[in-house]
Amino acid sequence: MKKILGTLVMLLCLSVMPANAQGLSFGVKGGTTRSTLKFDKDNFFGKGHYGWFIGPSLKVGLPLGFGVDGAVLYDQREVKIVDEQTMKIKQISIPVNARFNLALAPATGTGLYLAAGPQVAFNVGDSEFKWTSKESYENTFQLKKSTFSINLGAGVYLLKMLELGFAYNIEMGNTGDITWSSLTDKSNYKSSDETKVKTWKLQATIYF
């Protein structure tokens, strides 16, 4: 994970190098999320809840409409699991996206953009959640300290200072590990290997 984070930081540094020629913009990004968590056992399914995120952002313009943007975001979301149990996930997320800007009205700084890139997130909240299901199973979900995912997004930019868009975040690894054990047979343990969060984001960014 250190190598991944180092790569993301290097991409940000490289993107700043041509800033004097193409323009470097700083801003604030925020928005809302809708997440679902799917386990590999049919009895376990995370119903989507809304969450939110906010943090500083930067954008670098490159020739021919290309560019790079990045952010450091505080991301908080809730996922409702079986038996009305709710799991609150708190993370520091660092997305870095390559982007393509299509100017519709260059004189007013208005157009469309497409963006895609990696994201690394670090858990800063509770790491373990426990509950007992109606089927008399005692369940434990252990969040990983960090996760790696991919963002795919699009949106519009207005007056060179405001962006409105959406993104779909796909985790490339497991969100965490779950174990469940029968209350009547403590030796009956199983472990899930498919626990991925998929998230839709609606977001806005104001650049100064």
Side-chain angles (χ1 to χ4, degrees):
M1 187 55 65
K2 290 183 179 179
K3 291 182 179 180
I4 294 174
L5 181 58
T7 301
L8 295 180
V9 173
M10 182 180 67
L11 288 173
L12 276 176
C13 293
L14 290 175
S15 70
V16 173
M17 293 176 60
N20 292 334
Q22 300 296 329
L24 172 65
S25 301
F26 291 92
V28 176
K29 183 187 296 288
T32 184
T33 60
R34 175 78 171 178
S35 301
T36 57
L37 176 63
K38 184 67 172 67
F39 299 93
D40 68 348
K41 191 173 187 289
D42 292 340
N43 291 5
F44 295 87
F45 181 77
K47 298 179 181 179
H49 270 205
Y50 289 102
W52 56 274
F53 60 91
I54 192 169
S57 177
L58 66 82
K59 178 176 64 174
V60 180
L62 299 174
L64 303 177
F66 291 95
V68 178
D69 66 51
V72 179
L73 307 171
Y74 174 77
D75 187 340
Q76 180 172 304
R77 67 188 80 168
E78 291 185 354
V79 178
K80 182 178 287 186
I81 46 184
V82 293
D83 300 329
E84 303 301 314
Q85 299 293 322
T86 299
M87 181 171 60
K88 182 176 291 187
I89 302 174
K90 299 178 182 179
Q91 296 178 320
I92 298 297
S93 301
I94 306 175
V96 178
N97 297 310
R99 54 186 289 151
F100 177 73
N101 304 312
L102 177 61
L104 299 179
T108 61
T110 301
L112 306 175
Y113 74 87
L114 299 174
Q119 173 178 299
V120 61
F122 301 92
N123 182 40
V124 294
D126 294 335
S127 60
E128 186 175 88
F129 302 87
K130 293 185 177 182
W131 71 97
T132 300
S133 64
K134 294 178 181 178
E135 294 81 10
S136 296
Y137 277 90
E138 189 175 62
N139 312 287
T140 302
F141 187 81
Q142 183 76 38
L143 284 173
K144 287 192 173 182
K145 294 181 179 179
S146 60
T147 58
F148 181 75
S149 58
I150 297 295
N151 285 310
L152 303 173
V156 298
Y157 58 90
L158 307 168
L159 304 176
K160 298 181 179 180
M161 62 175 294
L162 175 64
E163 289 186 355
L164 302 173
F166 68 91
Y168 185 53
N169 179 264
I170 308 168
E171 287 196 353
M172 306 307 293
N174 295 332
T175 303
D177 299 311
I178 185 170
T179 59
W180 57 92
S181 61
S182 171
L183 296 179
T184 58
D185 182 6
K186 291 297 185 179
S187 64
N188 183 19
Y189 281 87
K190 297 182 180 180
S191 179
S192 171
D193 58 1
E194 292 292 339
T195 55
K196 293 181 173 63
V197 172
K198 297 180 179 180
T199 302
W200 284 99
K201 302 179 181 180
L202 291 177
Q203 57 194 26
T205 309
I206 299 177
Y207 290 102
F208 306 107

